[in-house]
Amino acid sequence: MGIRTCKECEEVLRGRTDKRFCNDGCRNAYNNRENSKDSDLLKKINNQLRKNRKILRVLLAEEKMLKTNKGKLLTEGFSLKYHTHRIITSKGQEYIFCYEYGYLDLGNDFILIVKSKEKKREINPLV
């Protein structure tokens, strides 16, 4: 059996055979670094989703729908790569959404920006 070392500082481990770290500080540092890799990716995606939503919200303002040039979105920093969901209508049109704001690609570099209509559901109390 070889010499076991701490996964963080690589000091020789003593004690239990399943020990992976020499102390709690090394364990915390290792786990924080590993978890931050996932967190950084999630933060990047969430930031872009929020930015996309804000751009759609600002452009739409108080209108029910707005036809605009796709280039206008892109110059504001909109990323077509990130969205929360898609809805395909009965007519076969595909709306792409960032939370409650969405758009429909009309072709010729035009898009139609919309806001979804939230359907209020009645909550049945438990009896």
Side-chain angles (χ1 to χ4, degrees):
M1 189 161 165
I3 297 174
R4 296 173 300 112
T5 59
C6 176
K7 287 182 126 181
E8 178 65 17
C9 69
E10 299 184 0
E11 284 190 28
V12 176
L13 294 175
R14 301 184 197 292
R16 294 180 6 197
T17 58
D18 62 344
K19 194 173 185 180
R20 298 186 309 156
F21 303 100
C22 59
N23 60 43
D24 287 339
C26 281
R27 180 179 49 82
N28 287 333
Y30 177 85
N31 287 326
N32 287 341
R33 187 177 57 258
E34 288 298 307
N35 291 335
S36 74
K37 293 174 186 174
D38 290 339
S39 295
D40 289 345
L41 177 62
L42 290 175
K43 284 178 190 175
K44 176 186 171 200
I45 292 169
N46 285 331
N47 286 338
Q48 186 61 55
L49 285 171
R50 280 194 300 271
K51 186 174 188 175
N52 283 357
R53 180 188 177 274
K54 181 180 179 184
I55 292 167
L56 293 173
R57 180 178 51 84
V58 168
L59 287 174
L60 187 60
E62 295 299 319
E63 301 291 326
K64 290 190 179 210
M65 58 181 64
L66 174 72
K67 182 179 175 181
T68 189
N69 189 300
K70 191 185 295 185
K72 189 172 187 176
L73 286 179
L74 298 175
T75 57
E76 294 290 327
F78 192 89
S79 174
L80 299 170
K81 183 178 176 182
Y82 297 103
H83 57 275
T84 55
H85 62 287
R86 299 170 185 253
I87 294 176
I88 298 176
T89 66
S90 58
K91 295 179 182 178
Q93 297 173 315
E94 181 180 44
Y95 286 83
I96 301 171
F97 280 84
C98 285
Y99 302 104
E100 76 274 27
Y101 292 94
Y103 63 93
L104 171 66
D105 191 341
L106 299 173
N108 296 326
D109 279 340
F110 284 101
I111 61 160
L112 181 68
I113 301 174
V114 297
K115 183 177 180 183
S116 70
K117 298 174 185 172
E118 292 183 35
K119 296 179 182 175
K120 293 184 181 179
R121 296 183 299 177
E122 185 175 320
I123 299 174
N124 295 327
L126 296 175
V127 179

